[in-house]
Amino acid sequence: MNVHSTPIEGCLVIEPRVFGDERGYFFESFNQEKFTELTGHTIPFVQDNQSYSSKGVLRGLHLQKGGSAQSKLVRVVKGEVLDVAVDVRKGSKTFGQHFSIKLSDKNNLQLFVPRGFLHGFVVLSDDAVFQYKCDNYYDRSAEGGAHYADPNLAIDWILPHDQLIVSDKDIILPNLAEAGDLGF
């Protein structure tokens, strides 16, 4: 496994070692000891989630506030997505900046999104299966977020706006400047 830093401190790209031959491939998607050794983070992941979405589905930008905050390790099992993490840590030199990366079943890359980040993704392939590990349990009362099309964030979601499929809940999220205290 290789770990690559990003322009935003704490947000890391994880590249597993893939063993392939004429039968297909094998890789270790997570190993606690290696993760801790290579990232310096001892993260007790407690919940795994998986979603299935069709092309154009945009999920985000979300986070869990306060004591329910979550770090996430995300990957794509099938298809391709553009994955986005936005730094909302108060006092961070990269506050309001984002990092985006294409994750797919071809590149097998993973993104570690620490606490204090908004997170979202859009499906670029016909469909996608997206999987993530969380270090804290989901708490509906601690939901927070910002609008995916906030002009101050200037996220290029790659697909044209009229091709995006966004939930009613996500459409009404405020821009980051109006989101209030997100707890970081």
Side-chain angles (χ1 to χ4, degrees):
M1 163 188 327
N2 292 312
V3 176
H4 307 280
S5 58
T6 70
I8 300 179
E9 185 180 340
C11 199
L12 303 169
V13 175
I14 311 295
E15 180 183 11
R17 187 168 174 209
V18 180
F19 301 92
D21 60 25
E22 65 281 352
R23 300 170 297 160
Y25 68 85
F26 169 87
F27 71 94
E28 190 173 68
S29 62
F30 182 74
N31 178 304
Q32 184 69 59
E33 287 180 349
K34 289 179 187 175
F35 182 85
T36 299
E37 175 187 332
L38 294 171
T39 67
H41 296 288
T42 302
I43 306 287
F45 291 110
V46 298
Q47 181 175 326
D48 283 7
N49 302 314
Q50 183 169 306
S51 67
Y52 171 83
S53 305
S54 57
K55 185 173 186 168
V57 168
L58 190 151
R59 297 181 186 268
L61 297 162
H62 308 137
L63 60 65
Q64 293 272 286
K65 299 185 218 177
S68 296
Q70 296 176 323
S71 294
K72 298 175 182 173
L73 181 61
V74 302
R75 71 188 190 100
V76 170
V77 176
K78 177 186 176 202
E80 181 180 49
V81 308
L82 178 72
D83 198 67
V84 177
V86 180
D87 187 354
V88 294
R89 299 170 295 180
K90 291 178 189 168
S92 169
K93 63 184 177 190
T94 54
F95 178 87
Q97 293 181 28
H98 69 276
F99 174 75
S100 62
I101 185 170
K102 287 182 181 177
L103 303 177
S104 74
D105 60 358
K106 303 289 187 261
N107 66 24
N108 296 307
L109 296 175
Q110 299 177 42
L111 184 65
F112 174 68
V113 182
R115 293 178 181 198
F117 282 74
L118 291 164
H119 176 256
F121 67 90
V122 65
V123 178
L124 303 175
S125 53
D126 288 338
D127 58 3
V129 175
F130 188 84
Q131 198 171 66
Y132 48 107
K133 302 179 90 51
C134 300
D135 73 340
N136 209 349
Y137 298 103
Y138 171 76
D139 177 1
R140 183 182 190 101
S141 68
E143 288 181 346
H147 199 274
Y148 69 94
D150 182 338
N152 291 319
L153 297 178
I155 298 170
D156 178 2
W157 292 102
I158 298 178
L159 297 177
H161 184 76
D162 64 350
Q163 291 182 19
L164 299 178
I165 303 165
V166 183
S167 73
D168 292 341
K169 182 174 105 174
D170 290 350
I171 285 175
I172 63 170
L173 286 170
N175 288 339
L176 181 57
E178 298 147 3
D181 184 11
L182 293 174
F184 296 94

